[in-house]
Amino acid sequence: MRITRKTLIRELKEIFIIALVGALFNFLTSSFTVLNVAVSVTIWVSLSKGNGYIVDYLNTKISWVEKPITRITVGMVCMMAYTIFTFGAVIVLFKWWNSNSELLDLIRNIRFQDFIIAILITLIISMFFHGRAFYINWKEALFKVEKLKNESLKSQYESLRNQVNPHFLFNSLNVLSELVYEDQGKAVEFIRKMSDVYRYVLEHKDQEMVPLDVELAFLTSYGFLQKIRFGDNFDLSIEKNGEGMVPPLALQMLVENAIKHNVVSSAKPLRVEIIISDDTVMVRNNVQEKLTKDSTGIGLSNLKARYQYLSDQEVVISNDQKTFEVTLPLLKMKR
């Protein structure tokens, strides 16, 4: 870790303040001599800074949010062990330096009352450091949860916006106007499927998860609209061998992305496969990117953020320029 001038100044200020506290503590509890002040200042600085470093290190290893009991237990044990060793070492070294006594004799003559004082000092320091660490971690955890919730809401809004945007509606109405003249029966079916799509969006846009079968039923209606629009140039296949939950509109967004970013024509038909196993849902399509790209990456970023909020499992994305794959974990119902 690089020590900057600002960090060094802050550390020196902290040491100076702790030294003043140590000197004041000596003035209030014992005779005021140079040796006693030096001992008190050394003890306060070494215990404060050392225990502070222990707390900082443990904060990186044990989460206050996930394991609060373990964190405070390990913290107190480590701080007490450090305190007893450091306090004893400081007392012995100062006495040894100030007398001609043997080092072992000095160690044997350390009074139990001295350690009680050291432990009291450590408890004061511990309450401050642990209280501060817990508050900081608690605040960060709240901020993270709130941020992920916002990402989830933003993603749901993005999916809703994509469904009701003018392009989708314009393309659907164009297809419908042609069907009315060509095949009235299919036009009625198109209207029904289009109604199913919008109903699903409105009914499930605020939910965190939906059953896989419900999402697939919606996706079938959505796929029907795209099949009517593109004919044999578009194919959506679903292979189902598992059960679970998914965020609403997650699969539709991936199919929509495939259509949005790839050429769909008789010369280059687009094939989208959805393969469902026990634990994952994989959405795969052949890559034939459009010359003019219109991608912000918001859809996939939001989808990954939603999964971070709902699960500790990650969304896996791969693209070898021939096949684009997105693998989503199948989620379990929250109890």
Side-chain angles (χ1 to χ4, degrees):
M1 178 180 176
R2 184 184 175 188
I3 300 177
T4 63
R5 183 172 179 271
K6 184 178 180 181
T7 302
L8 181 60
I9 293 174
R10 187 180 69 245
E11 288 286 317
L12 292 175
K13 284 182 178 178
E14 288 181 2
I15 291 173
F16 178 73
I17 293 172
I18 295 169
L20 288 179
V21 173
L24 179 62
F25 182 81
N26 173 80
F27 178 75
L28 296 174
T29 59
S30 63
S31 57
F32 193 82
T33 66
V34 174
L35 179 61
N36 286 344
V37 171
V39 172
S40 182
V41 167
T42 304
I43 288 173
W44 273 88
V45 171
S46 57
L47 292 186
S48 296
K49 298 306 294 182
N51 283 317
Y53 295 141
I54 289 173
V55 169
D56 290 341
Y57 176 77
L58 291 177
N59 286 342
T60 65
K61 299 298 180 181
I62 306 174
S63 170
W64 271 107
V65 178
E66 296 176 3
K67 300 177 179 178
I69 303 300
T70 302
R71 172 64 188 81
I72 195 167
T73 302
V74 173
M76 291 302 297
V77 170
C78 290
M79 292 179 75
M80 286 299 178
Y82 171 80
T83 294
I84 292 172
F85 173 80
T86 302
F87 180 81
V90 170
I91 294 295
V92 168
L93 288 175
F94 267 96
K95 286 185 177 181
W96 179 64
W97 174 69
N98 195 50
S99 69
N100 296 320
S101 303
E102 291 293 331
L103 191 61
L104 289 177
D105 291 335
L106 292 172
I107 293 175
R108 294 191 194 101
N109 292 328
I110 296 178
R111 296 178 304 170
F112 179 73
Q113 294 91 321
D114 294 333
F115 283 108
I116 295 298
I117 294 174
I119 291 172
L120 289 175
I121 295 173
T122 300
L123 288 175
I124 295 171
I125 296 169
S126 175
M127 284 189 291
F128 171 74
F129 280 120
H130 281 98
R132 186 184 67 169
F134 178 78
Y135 174 73
I136 291 173
N137 281 266
W138 172 73
K139 198 161 82 169
E140 287 178 351
L142 285 181
F143 174 77
K144 184 177 180 181
V145 168
E146 192 62 31
K147 182 180 178 182
L148 290 175
K149 283 183 178 179
N150 288 337
E151 289 289 347
S152 180
L153 291 174
K154 186 168 68 173
S155 178
Q156 292 172 14
Y157 170 76
E158 179 72 14
S159 297
L160 176 61
R161 188 183 64 81
N162 284 338
Q163 283 301 314
V164 298
N165 69 41
H167 294 291
F168 178 79
L169 187 59
F170 177 76
N171 290 330
S172 298
L173 291 177
N174 268 348
V175 172
L176 181 60
S177 64
E178 294 176 5
L179 285 178
V180 168
Y181 292 105
E182 297 175 2
D183 189 334
Q184 292 184 2
K186 189 172 286 188
V188 172
E189 180 71 5
F190 188 91
I191 292 171
R192 188 176 68 81
K193 295 293 185 182
M194 190 174 174
S195 173
D196 291 342
V197 167
Y198 278 89
R199 185 183 301 111
Y200 178 88
V201 172
L202 294 174
E203 289 179 353
H204 296 89
K205 64 183 179 66
D206 294 325
Q207 296 182 12
E208 291 182 347
M209 296 187 294
V210 294
L212 181 61
D213 287 340
V214 175
E215 178 80 0
L216 291 179
F218 154 70
L219 193 63
T220 300
S221 297
Y222 178 81
F224 175 86
L225 300 181
Q226 301 302 335
K227 185 70 175 177
I228 295 297
R229 176 185 173 191
F230 295 108
D232 293 336
N233 302 330
F234 173 77
D235 181 65
L236 174 64
S237 63
I238 300 173
E239 179 183 325
K240 182 174 178 287
N241 294 299
E243 299 289 343
M245 309 282 288
V246 292
L249 304 168
L251 301 183
Q252 176 275 329
M253 187 275 291
L254 294 175
V255 176
E256 176 73 16
N257 267 7
I259 296 171
K260 180 179 179 181
H261 301 307
N262 292 280
V263 174
V264 185
S265 65
S266 57
K268 293 183 176 182
L270 180 66
R271 309 299 180 206
V272 181
E273 300 174 89
I274 297 177
I275 302 172
I276 302 162
S277 65
D278 289 336
D279 301 314
T280 61
V281 180
M282 184 180 70
V283 181
R284 177 169 65 195
N285 64 270
N286 52 318
V287 176
Q288 40 204 31
E289 293 183 358
K290 295 178 180 178
L291 295 178
T292 56
K293 295 182 180 181
D294 180 23
S295 175
T296 61
I298 291 177
L300 286 176
S301 296
N302 284 344
L303 183 61
K304 292 171 74 173
R306 291 168 75 186
Y307 265 92
Q308 287 177 358
Y309 172 60
L310 295 170
S311 168
D312 56 359
Q313 302 177 73
E314 295 185 353
V315 174
V316 179
I317 302 172
S318 65
N319 184 2
D320 62 5
Q321 302 305 315
K322 293 182 179 179
T323 304
F324 184 82
E325 295 181 355
V326 178
T327 302
L328 307 176
L330 268 179
L331 304 173
K332 303 301 180 184
M333 175 68 76
K334 290 184 177 179
R335 299 185 183 277

